[in-house]
Amino acid sequence: MIKKEVVTQLVEEWLKEKDYFLVDVTISPDDRIVVEIDHAEGVWIEDCVDLSRFIEDHLNRDEEDYELEVGSAGIGQPFKVKQQYVNHIGKEVEMLTADGKKLKAILKDAGDETFTVTVTKKVKVEGKKRPELQEEDLVFNYNEVKYTKYLISFK
């Protein structure tokens, strides 16, 4: 079986001097290798082909029979690495907190340990008949959410 560390090392070697970053490498028991990369401005198919050829040039099909798929992290899929948070600062995201609460918010900041989102909520203001919309910043540790993903909007 092909080792994940070997494929990851090959991808990291290809990524040097490029603006792409590695999102995930998975290898199934039947040696189906899936490599996900991303870029702040999107992923070009030509680069996926180039990375695929680079990996194939460094793995020996005579020793291991494998299936290789190289692609981009899917739009609308949960973020897997911090760089995806960084790339989506200022954009609307959907989150599911560890306690099961779903939030729609604007991603404001992404640090090493935490990220900040701005939520808009209705607040009852004393002396007024209708609630008013107010913004509030919420800070989460990455492990305090089940998922965060870019919210696709067609407005």
Side-chain angles (χ1 to χ4, degrees):
M1 184 169 168
I2 296 171
K3 295 195 181 312
K4 181 177 180 174
E5 297 78 27
V6 171
V7 177
T8 301
Q9 184 177 354
L10 289 172
V11 174
E12 293 290 352
E13 186 178 329
W14 182 85
L15 290 173
K16 286 181 185 169
E17 309 297 320
K18 293 180 176 69
D19 290 331
Y20 283 97
F21 59 93
L22 177 61
V23 174
D24 198 15
V25 172
T26 57
I27 302 176
S28 67
D30 61 344
D31 281 337
R32 181 172 185 268
I33 304 166
V34 178
V35 177
E36 291 180 65
I37 58 173
D38 208 348
H39 187 282
E41 298 170 9
V43 176
W44 295 93
I45 188 71
E46 294 85 1
D47 292 325
C48 291
V49 170
D50 187 45
L51 174 56
S52 179
R53 287 184 180 144
F54 181 83
I55 293 169
E56 287 181 349
D57 287 347
H58 291 83
L59 294 179
N60 188 343
R61 281 209 185 262
D62 294 333
E63 292 176 17
E64 295 277 356
D65 186 31
Y66 61 88
E67 177 185 345
L68 177 62
E69 178 183 324
V70 175
S72 65
I75 192 163
Q77 295 298 311
F79 298 161
K80 295 180 181 178
V81 297
K82 186 184 85 155
Q83 188 62 45
Q84 289 176 295
Y85 285 83
V86 171
N87 288 352
H88 288 88
I89 289 175
K91 297 181 180 155
E92 192 172 19
V93 294
E94 177 182 283
M95 302 168 34
L96 182 62
T97 62
D99 62 0
K101 187 175 181 183
K102 193 179 270 192
L103 300 173
K104 289 182 182 179
I106 302 297
L107 186 57
K108 186 174 182 178
D109 187 39
D112 289 336
E113 303 293 324
T114 62
F115 66 98
T116 305
V117 294
T118 303
V119 294
T120 304
K121 59 185 186 175
K122 291 181 181 180
V123 177
K124 177 75 173 133
V125 179
E126 196 172 322
K128 297 206 176 183
K129 288 185 176 184
R130 294 184 182 207
E132 292 184 356
L133 293 177
Q134 292 185 352
E135 292 184 346
E136 179 183 0
D137 287 349
L138 302 175
V139 179
F140 293 92
N141 286 318
Y142 292 101
N143 62 358
E144 290 181 325
V145 294
K146 292 183 179 179
Y147 70 76
T148 303
K149 60 185 178 180
Y150 174 61
L151 190 60
I152 302 168
S153 177
F154 297 101
K155 294 179 184 176

